[in-house]
Amino acid sequence: MSETRQITLPITGMTCANCVATVERNLKKVDGVASANVNLSSERAMIDFNPELTQLSELINRVQRAGYDVAVGEAEILLKEIREAQDGQRLEKVLIAVEGITEAQVNLSADKVRVKYIPTVISQVEIRRTIKSAGFEPLAIEGEYEDAEALARQAEISQQWRLLMIGLAFTIPLFGLAMARDFGLLPMTIAHASWLNWLLFLMATPVQFYVGWQYYTGAFTALRNKSANMDVLVAMGTSAAYFYSIPVTLGWIEGHVYFETAAVIITLIKLGKFLEARAKGRTSEAIKKLVGLRAKTARIIRDSVEMEVPVDEVMVGDLVQVRPGEKIAVDGVVIQGRSTVDESMLTGESLPVEKRPGDAVIGATLNKMGAFTFEATKVGKDTALAQIIRLVEEAQGSKAPIQHLTDRISAVFVPFVILIAALTFLVWYFLIPLSPTAEVNLFTRALINMVAVLVIACPCAMGLATPTAVMVGTGRGAEMGILLKSGEALERAGRITTVVLDKTGTITKGQPSVTDLIVTNPEVLQFETALPVNAPNSPGLRELNSTGMDENQLLRLAASVERGSEHPLGEALLAEAGNRGLKLSEPGAFEAIAGQGVAAEVDGIPVLVGNARLFESQGISIGDAQTTISQLQAQAKTVVLVGVNQQLTGLIAIADTLKDGSVEAIKDLQRMNLKVAMITGDNQQTAEAIASQVGVDMVLAEVLPGDKAEAVKAFQKEGQVVAMVGDGINDAPALAQAEVGIAIGTGTDVAMATAPVVLISGDLRGVPKAIALSRKTLRIIKENLFWAFIYNILLIPAAAAGLLNPVLAAGAMAFSSIFVVSNSLRLKRVRLF
């Protein structure tokens, strides 16, 4: 059985939540489609389907049959040479067969091929590679780095702007003329002239059927699909006003014409939709910033030749040179040179990170002062930046659970409004008598109130309330190095009451390191046996005869012994010696004593490195050093004893040190009224020592990795909403059990972590930021939904009661959507703490 595939289609023509429901419903009808999620804010559809049962073309056709379209990019590719017509036909067949390409036309005379494609499915670079694989040589791609989807969206906005300008050109004089007549500002001969109504008719008609044609087509397709959307309401409301005015103009019935009402409604709604589209474009700025981070070219060494190539042509295994101030093209590993790299654009960390041979580098980060060469390990869609962009796009396209309520209401909202409008007409026509001073007849009064109800109702605000906030929130998170992988994760993180932190690798660095070096017997090497004169590999020890033991000399002896060991504590000693630039000697007569330590000779001097049991077995007294050892152990440090010439010479304390920012992060969480628990497999004493340093509320010690999920479950049974923070691998069961799993990343493994939230930088301070951002986003969603619902709850009855003029209703309706989008955009600049 074939695996399910996921693709994203950029949809055009959607205006409200009912449009979203229509597209989703139609896509789900296609055989082989497992799920379809459509986002009104991003205007994208994420579709999971079985490629053996359906093809991309069927999905596109279904969207178009529903009355909408798919945004298409266009590229002109110049070819080196096309010799004959058969070559052109062959290339066209090759391109058309590629998924995502909708049209391909070869121009033999110009040696060009014009390709239309869906930018979310295939890129221009992939098209270029397809042409190469077919045996042709593409020379250039016009606008190779342009965002084709953005261009298609911009073309749509430009079309809306053009229609708006035409609408304003007719509506402003139409409205001015109508108001001047109604308020007695026109001469009587003009105000009562029969041709005036015909002039108003001529000015209103282009607005009704050219500027507003989209509402008629949208209403038709919605009704054909057995649904009703905003287009139905606008088309019904404006048509009622417009077509009622025609028999009045013809003199068939007496009354007032309302051509200006229909025209103003359409133009105001068009203005609102244009401003809404502009504002919605700003909700996706975070993605645009991420895309803009990528380098355009790379300087590579291939076959011993240095060359500059487009970044998309870099292959795994290429050697890439980076000079000071340049962007790193792709992901890789440094093989030569040293430098510092600014990774803040991806991780949110402001301090540059030092890079040396063996260190990983991330594409799109900025090299600072040094120059280095690295080997490319991940290119194209596999780079960390590409993974981050994909994850953010998926998050922005997902639905938060709170949105399901909106979807259910939207499904019945428009039919309900039409019913209210019909009842409004009937009540005002049949049940409410006309005032003796009324200037309109019963029919006109009922009609105007009905139109007001149809126009005031706004399903758009409800449809935009959640997705716009999710888009801005996830985008803001990405800018801070926080990946919120779905709207559900964003919403759940905003409801957290308890945060459980794994100790190793989360609160602490997860790498034992030397914290204390204490020389207990500095005179131990003031002995009679001097080093031989011909001992060139023993610099420094000769000086011991006159100066005595110091920290560096103690560490040099212990680390030299540990060169023959593979113990983690030995690695910590070697790492510290390397950091201090100490030159080590090769140990002789090396012996590992199980459970106690090691013994060896360093430059002929017998050295012991181990625990207290080792010294007891050798008959060496620890003496007063036991007090210091106990003090260090109380601080969660492991103490290594060092003996020289059968005497205790010094103590070396090793601990898994705290990460920078751990204490600050935990304080921030507590200030947010969250309970903070630390979970670890360490013994109670060690756990309590670490806990006292960072100030957590609860300590769960001696917990095996497999039992961490049960510990999370225990909190949940108490009614707590739990976030589990861990490394994403060893803590996988606990991360899955928690309401929100937060994985500590390293900047390159963001796609591997299964947790719904990933901190790219690995900085624990990202946890309170993620929760604060989620809380702010959830608050914005609730504000949006409150506005959307209270707007309709209050104003629909007001319109039905005859308290709203249709023109004012149209203005209010246009403003409601703009308010929701603008409110969501506040997340871009809101303070988290």
Side-chain angles (χ1 to χ4, degrees):
M1 186 176 176
S2 176
E3 292 185 1
T4 300
R5 281 193 55 218
Q6 184 180 83
I7 62 165
T8 301
L9 294 181
I11 310 296
T12 61
M14 295 190 298
T15 57
C16 65
N18 297 85
C19 301
V20 170
T22 299
V23 176
E24 284 183 350
R25 188 171 60 252
N26 277 273
L27 285 171
K28 288 175 182 177
K29 288 178 182 178
V30 178
D31 190 27
V33 171
S35 67
N37 281 317
V38 179
N39 187 294
L40 179 59
S41 183
S42 64
E43 296 181 282
R44 286 185 170 191
M46 284 174 47
I47 308 158
D48 293 307
F49 69 102
N50 185 334
E52 289 186 357
L53 298 177
T54 191
Q55 300 299 318
L56 177 62
S57 57
E58 294 178 55
L59 300 174
I60 296 171
N61 289 337
R62 197 74 196 195
V63 171
Q64 292 170 336
R65 282 176 55 195
Y68 306 91
D69 210 342
V70 175
V72 174
E74 190 171 312
E76 273 197 353
I77 304 171
L78 182 64
L79 306 175
K80 186 174 182 180
E81 184 181 13
I82 304 179
R83 290 189 176 86
E84 52 190 36
Q86 286 82 357
D87 286 340
Q89 291 170 0
R90 180 169 64 86
L91 179 57
E92 286 178 356
K93 286 181 181 179
V94 168
L95 289 171
I96 289 294
V98 176
E99 186 176 59
I101 295 177
T102 60
E103 186 179 322
Q105 289 182 339
V106 173
N107 186 328
L108 289 173
S109 60
D111 285 335
K112 281 184 178 181
V113 58
R114 182 188 295 271
V115 182
K116 290 186 178 181
Y117 63 99
I118 300 170
T120 54
V121 178
I122 189 170
S123 68
Q124 292 188 23
V125 173
E126 290 169 315
I127 295 171
R128 190 177 188 178
R129 288 175 182 159
T130 301
I131 293 171
K132 265 189 176 180
S133 65
F136 300 89
E137 187 175 344
L139 296 181
I141 300 180
E142 295 179 12
E144 181 175 354
Y145 296 109
E146 291 178 341
D147 186 340
E149 183 184 357
L151 291 175
R153 301 283 186 208
Q154 187 57 47
E156 188 179 5
I157 291 174
S158 298
Q159 169 70 357
Q160 294 298 322
W161 170 255
R162 191 173 64 83
L163 291 173
L164 173 61
M165 290 299 100
I166 294 171
L168 288 171
F170 283 99
T171 301
I172 291 174
L174 168 62
F175 184 72
L177 196 60
M179 290 300 100
R181 182 180 66 175
D182 292 347
F183 287 102
L185 301 178
L186 292 177
M188 294 296 292
T189 54
I190 296 177
H192 294 285
S194 60
W195 57 265
L196 183 57
N197 283 349
W198 284 104
L199 178 60
L200 298 178
F201 166 77
L202 292 173
M203 296 173 75
T205 300
V207 179
Q208 187 74 29
F209 297 109
Y210 183 72
V211 178
W213 185 247
Q214 166 195 340
Y215 302 117
Y216 284 103
T217 57
F220 173 75
T221 53
L223 294 172
R224 188 182 66 186
N225 286 290
K226 298 178 182 178
S227 66
N229 60 8
M230 184 201 80
D231 294 334
V232 174
L233 297 178
V234 175
M236 286 181 66
T238 59
S239 295
Y242 178 85
F243 287 109
Y244 165 77
S245 302
I246 291 177
V248 174
T249 302
L250 292 170
W252 295 349
I253 59 174
E254 289 187 6
H256 191 284
V257 294
Y258 291 95
F259 288 122
E260 80 284 354
T261 300
V264 169
I265 289 171
I266 287 174
T267 303
L268 277 176
I269 292 173
K270 187 66 71 176
L271 172 63
K273 284 297 168 185
F274 172 75
L275 294 176
E276 176 192 316
R278 289 276 298 273
K280 279 199 298 184
R282 292 180 57 202
T283 64
S284 60
E285 281 180 357
I287 287 288
K288 293 173 185 174
K289 285 181 182 178
L290 288 172
V291 172
L293 290 176
R294 67 196 296 264
K296 300 295 186 290
T297 60
R299 192 179 301 101
I300 67 170
I301 302 172
R302 192 180 289 168
D303 299 328
S304 301
V305 178
E306 182 179 322
M307 63 184 77
E308 190 166 305
V309 299
V311 69
D312 295 296
E313 293 186 9
V314 178
M315 297 186 293
V316 173
D318 279 342
L319 299 182
V320 185
Q321 292 183 327
V322 186
R323 295 173 183 170
E326 291 183 342
K327 281 187 177 180
I328 296 170
V330 295
D331 297 358
V333 177
V334 178
I335 61 171
Q336 184 181 344
R338 293 190 176 197
S339 184
T340 54
V341 175
D342 179 4
E343 298 181 345
S344 61
M345 60 284 296
L346 294 183
T347 65
E349 291 294 323
S350 57
L351 294 177
V353 181
E354 186 178 349
K355 300 294 180 182
R356 60 182 68 181
D359 289 342
V361 290
I362 308 171
T365 54
L366 185 65
N367 183 33
K368 302 294 281 185
M369 300 302 294
F372 61 91
T373 301
F374 72 93
E375 180 181 345
T377 57
K378 292 181 180 179
V379 300
K381 294 181 179 178
D382 295 326
T383 63
L385 177 63
Q387 293 172 13
I388 290 168
I389 291 171
R390 178 177 58 81
L391 291 172
V392 174
E393 286 179 339
E394 288 178 359
Q396 292 183 340
S398 64
K399 289 187 178 182
I402 199 170
Q403 191 175 342
H404 296 311
L405 170 64
T406 307
D407 291 344
R408 287 195 296 271
I409 293 173
S410 297
V412 297
F413 180 77
V414 174
F416 174 75
V417 170
I418 293 171
L419 176 62
I420 295 295
L423 290 174
T424 298
F425 180 88
L426 294 173
V427 168
W428 280 100
Y429 188 76
F430 290 106
L431 300 181
I432 301 177
L434 195 66
S435 169
T437 60
E439 297 180 358
V440 294
N441 57 40
L442 277 170
F443 183 85
T444 302
R445 183 187 65 174
L447 178 74
I448 291 302
N449 290 338
M450 181 191 75
V451 170
V453 171
L454 290 170
V455 175
I456 195 68
C458 185
C460 311
M462 288 191 292
L464 290 168
T466 302
T468 52
V470 169
M471 278 193 74
V472 180
T474 51
R476 175 83 186 273
E479 291 174 357
M480 296 189 297
I482 302 165
L483 287 185
L484 296 143
K485 293 186 178 180
S486 67
E488 183 177 2
L490 190 68
E491 182 179 331
R492 284 186 174 182
R495 305 183 191 278
I496 288 168
T497 59
T498 299
V499 179
V500 180
L501 304 172
D502 182 50
K503 180 185 80 72
T504 306
T506 302
I507 296 176
T508 64
K509 293 179 179 177
Q511 297 175 339
S513 58
V514 174
T515 59
D516 301 86
L517 282 161
I518 302 170
V519 179
T520 58
N521 186 3
E523 306 300 323
V524 68
L525 284 183
Q526 300 289 353
F527 45 82
E528 296 179 359
T529 306
L531 291 175
V533 177
N534 59 352
N537 293 326
S538 306
L541 283 186
R542 185 182 307 279
E543 299 174 12
L544 296 180
N545 293 324
S546 56
T547 62
M549 181 79 70
D550 64 14
E551 284 186 3
N552 283 347
Q553 292 153 350
L554 174 70
L555 178 61
R556 198 188 83 83
L557 286 172
S560 294
V561 171
E562 291 291 351
R563 290 184 75 173
S565 169
E566 295 181 356
H567 196 279
L569 298 181
E571 293 177 3
L573 296 176
L574 290 168
E576 182 65 20
N579 291 339
R580 297 189 179 209
L582 301 180
K583 190 171 183 179
L584 306 183
S585 298
E586 195 67 36
F590 179 87
E591 181 186 3
I593 304 166
Q596 296 183 15
V598 293
E601 290 185 1
V602 179
D603 302 318
I605 301 170
V607 180
L608 292 173
V609 180
N611 55 27
R613 290 198 302 275
L614 174 63
F615 281 68
E616 289 170 7
S617 67
Q618 298 290 323
I620 301 173
S621 172
I622 295 174
D624 295 339
Q626 183 59 54
T627 302
T628 305
I629 292 171
S630 298
Q631 291 173 345
L632 292 170
Q633 288 177 334
Q635 298 170 26
K637 297 175 181 178
T638 300
V639 182
V640 174
L641 285 65
V642 182
V644 176
N645 284 337
Q646 293 295 300
Q647 297 180 55
L648 178 63
T649 307
L651 306 174
I652 302 177
I654 298 173
D656 186 3
T657 55
L658 296 178
K659 279 185 175 181
D660 294 335
S662 291
V663 175
E664 182 185 342
I666 290 167
K667 285 182 179 177
D668 285 341
L669 290 170
Q670 291 168 333
R671 277 196 291 268
M672 295 165 69
N673 295 319
L674 295 168
K675 292 181 181 178
V676 184
M678 184 185 77
I679 190 167
T680 178
D682 291 347
N683 61 59
Q684 191 70 35
Q685 182 183 10
T686 301
E688 292 287 354
I690 293 291
S692 65
Q693 293 179 50
V694 296
V696 295
D697 301 310
M698 292 168 280
V699 179
L700 303 174
E702 300 178 29
V703 180
L704 296 174
D707 295 333
K708 290 180 181 179
E710 290 299 320
V712 170
K713 196 179 293 184
F715 282 115
Q716 291 169 327
K717 286 179 180 177
E718 296 173 4
Q720 303 294 325
V721 180
V722 182
M724 173 69 197
V725 186
D727 60 15
I729 301 170
N730 297 330
D731 305 313
L735 290 169
Q737 176 63 41
E739 276 82 3
V740 179
I742 303 177
I744 299 290
T746 62
T748 57
D749 60 355
V750 291
M752 289 186 283
T754 55
V757 181
V758 176
L759 306 181
I760 303 173
S761 67
D763 190 334
L764 196 60
R765 284 171 290 197
V767 174
K769 287 179 183 176
I771 296 172
L773 176 63
S774 298
R775 285 182 174 182
K776 297 285 186 184
T777 305
L778 194 57
R779 180 178 174 181
I780 291 289
I781 290 173
K782 289 178 178 178
E783 288 174 359
N784 287 347
L785 289 173
F786 174 80
W787 166 260
F789 285 119
I790 204 70
Y791 164 88
N792 285 294
I793 289 169
L794 294 179
L795 294 188
I796 290 176
L803 302 177
L804 279 179
N805 180 282
V807 171
L808 294 177
M813 186 262 212
F815 171 75
S816 65
S817 296
I818 298 169
F819 172 84
V820 164
V821 177
S822 300
N823 193 44
S824 296
L825 286 171
R826 289 197 303 119
L827 279 169
K828 293 168 70 71
R829 57 185 183 276
V830 71
R831 291 187 61 181
L832 298 182
F833 296 107

